[in-house]
Amino acid sequence: MMKLIRLNKGIKTNTTKFYYLKMGTEKITVHVDGRDRPPLVPSTRFTLALLVFFAFIVQYSQRVNLPIAIVCMVNRTKPIQHNLAHRETIELPDDISENTFPLPTTELTHISIEKGGIFQEKQFYWTELQQQLLLGGYWAGYIFTQVPGGWFATSIGAKWVYAVSLGTSSLATLALTLMYMMSNTHFALAFVLRFITGLAHGVLFPATIALWSVWAAPQERSTLASIGFSGTHLGTSLTMLIGGILCRYFYAGWIYLLVITSVLGFIWLVLWVILTANSPYVHKGISKHERDYICRLTGNTGTRRLTSLTSLPWKKIIKSKAVIALMISHITNLFGLFFFLTNFAKISNELLRISPQDTGYILCLGYFLTLLGSLSSGFTADHLVRANKITLTTARKIFNSLTSFIPVVCMISFYFCDQSQQMLGVITILVYLASTGFAFGSGYVVNFADIAPAFSGIIFGLANTFASLAGLIGNIVAGLVVKKPVLEQWRKLYIMFGICYFIGGLVFLIYGSAIPRKWATFQAMSNNAKQEKKLNNEEIIPMNEKI
């Protein structure tokens, strides 16, 4: 039975009164001081969500630009003298024979593709190993800055972590265009710049989790987070479309793609620096009503404390069932997600026998469904919680179960999908991608800010480091298991990932929670700081006092 309880102790303000609607073991705070909850649109927190949305569009456009551009950057035959005319000449390898193609060799030696643009064609002769190293260079850097990103965002605030991150990656992306004027050192330059881009991007997700722990009230956290994270899916989808068009219709189309994705970053950077702040306490344009609403419900005191990683309550983190369950769910889900996002094109082409062009359309639609899944789950969860239909913990368990158990069903479906079940394979891909969006709206991605707001960025960074390593291991395992593009060998992977998804979903369903841990709240962090300051002051001995 629900009880309405007036808050007499704890938070005190001059005019603001808070009531708690008690439901089971959770309390849902309702603001009833005679004024309605400050509207979400327009508001400072909604503007921040839009800028985070824009930031992830930039990040993911810069993440996937090279994997898309490399298609038109690489000359897979012998190095040739680049044609300066507006015709693209393809030279065949020396070992080609008439039996290789049904058409005469003379007809294949010169294939004209009408293109335009201000640049002349420029391609590079990179071996398959070099190409994989370039693509892997991003992830090599990405892994190293997960925990530092969460620590910096917690200690100094997320605003400048964001700014330095995308400012650096935009410069590195723009610098890649220098390869157009180089001949012998382009591979080394490309690898270093992609490594730097990965380093810069590694801090964004942990910083975002830390950002929403300060800026998003629990009853709005799903909505705001889903708006921001949906930029990841839209950025991927748009970059795939635009990149394909540029490579098809423009000479050296990869240059245009790199320039566009870097310029977007610089535009975002200006808006971000002007319109955002680390917390509501220091934002110059926010109203007092909105500031009080956010700060009182998040418990943020506006103070930041630079702490070392060794001073964190690691014993409490390790012993917390909710934290461990969340990390297991996070790692197992991303273990599968990272693998399939990089292998869906291979599955579509080699197993389902779908053309690359149609594969691009399918994946583009799939990423759009991911965006819809993220937004719909975020809005739905917050609406149900504010309407007191379910608790926040229940909302998290429902949507995290969907994002974990639906992929299990998809793995079972993939088990039977080859060329003879092409339509089933396409539907399975779309359903899988749609279900992954629930995690970003109200699943494991958002849950870090619920249970450990004061340390959410650091804990997320730690979990994401292990998840990224798991993603790399997944690709290595796939390379060892799959020797031929046949369904029988891929089935072993589907079984493995299905088991992982099931374990992650089950553990969170049993032990998951959205109730903040007492040791991980902003109030606890502030009290610890005050106690340490008091202790330090007591230890100061006047110069003239005798010992």
Side-chain angles (χ1 to χ4, degrees), residues 144-157:
F144 288 108
T145 51
Q146 296 289 319
V147 175
W151 177 73
F152 278 117
T154 301
S155 301
I156 65 176

Side-chain angles (χ1 to χ4, degrees), residues 217-231:
Q219 296 86 348
E220 293 181 338
R221 187 166 291 143
S222 296
T223 299
L224 293 171
S226 65
I227 292 173
F229 286 133
S230 61

Side-chain angles (χ1 to χ4, degrees), residues 49-340:
L50 291 180
L51 287 171
V52 172
F53 168 77
F54 193 3
F56 277 114
I57 289 179
V58 172
Q59 184 204 357
Y60 271 70
S61 68
Q62 293 176 356
R63 172 187 286 190
V64 303
N65 57 11
L66 186 64
I68 296 171
I70 202 169
V71 176
C72 59
M73 293 176 70
V74 174
N75 175 20
R76 297 183 181 275
T77 63
K78 299 186 307 180
I80 61 174
Q81 193 69 26
H82 301 295
N83 189 7
L84 300 183
H86 279 192
R87 287 185 180 276
E88 185 176 346
T89 302
I90 301 177
E91 182 174 326
L92 297 177
D94 291 333
D95 59 352
I96 205 74
S97 66
E98 293 184 359
N99 295 327
T100 306
F101 298 98
L103 296 176
T105 306
T106 54
E107 291 185 30
L108 293 172
T109 304
H110 297 281
I111 300 176
S112 297
I113 301 176
E114 296 299 329
K115 294 185 178 182
I118 60 176
F119 296 101
Q120 300 168 350
E121 189 63 276
K122 179 66 178 288
Q123 292 182 314
F124 309 98
Y125 182 72
W126 291 332
T127 65
E128 187 64 32
L129 176 60
Q130 288 177 315
Q131 294 177 52
Q132 292 300 325
L133 287 174
L134 286 180
L135 297 177
Y138 177 93
W139 296 105
Y142 187 80
I143 292 175
F144 288 108
T145 51
Q146 296 289 319
V147 175
W151 177 73
F152 278 117
T154 301
S155 301
I156 65 176
K159 175 179 179 177
W160 294 110
V161 174
Y162 258 74
V164 173
S165 170
L166 290 187
T168 301
S169 66
S170 297
L171 285 172
T173 301
L174 186 62
L176 279 170
T177 60
L178 294 175
M179 292 188 299
Y180 182 78
M181 299 175 288
M182 303 176 68
S183 57
N184 297 325
T185 60
H186 47 73
F187 174 78
L189 173 69
F191 181 85
V192 171
L193 290 176
R194 286 298 288 179
F195 181 82
I196 293 174
T197 301
L199 282 175
H201 285 174
V203 304
L204 277 186
F205 261 94
T208 304
I209 301 301
L211 181 76
W212 290 131
S213 69
V214 174
W215 273 96
Q219 296 86 348
E220 293 181 338
R221 187 166 291 143
S222 296
T223 299
L224 293 171
S226 65
I227 292 173
F229 286 133
S230 61
T232 63
H233 322 305
L234 185 60
T236 301
S237 182
L238 290 178
T239 307
M240 290 178 64
L241 282 178
I242 295 173
I245 293 173
L246 291 174
C247 284
R248 174 62 181 83
Y249 295 104
F250 290 86
Y251 284 102
W254 56 273
I255 294 182
Y256 298 93
L257 185 60
L258 295 177
V259 170
I260 290 173
T261 53
S262 62
V263 170
L264 280 177
F266 296 131
I267 295 173
W268 169 88
L269 182 60
V270 174
L271 296 174
W272 179 263
V273 171
I274 295 175
L275 298 176
T276 65
N278 284 317
S279 74
Y281 272 102
V282 295
H283 195 286
K284 297 180 180 179
I286 192 173
S287 67
K288 184 179 183 300
H289 181 40
E290 185 179 7
R291 179 186 292 114
D292 290 342
Y293 169 77
I294 297 172
C295 294
R296 300 305 180 186
L297 295 187
T298 60
N300 181 255
T301 60
T303 59
R304 295 192 306 273
R305 179 169 170 247
L306 191 64
T307 58
S308 64
L309 292 176
T310 56
S311 65
L312 295 179
W314 290 112
K315 289 184 178 180
K316 294 180 179 179
I317 292 174
I318 295 173
K319 292 181 179 180
S320 173
K321 294 180 180 178
V323 172
I324 297 302
L326 175 57
M327 293 183 70
I328 291 174
S329 185
H330 181 95
I331 293 170
T332 53
N333 272 270
L334 289 189
F335 177 51
L337 181 61
F338 284 165
F339 175 80
F340 284 102

Side-chain angles (χ1 to χ4, degrees), residues 22-44:
K22 190 173 183 180
M23 300 181 62
T25 58
E26 289 193 66
K27 295 178 181 178
I28 302 175
T29 313
V30 183
H31 189 267
V32 289
D33 63 346
R35 302 173 66 185
D36 294 333
R37 177 175 63 94
L40 182 61
V41 183
S43 67
T44 302

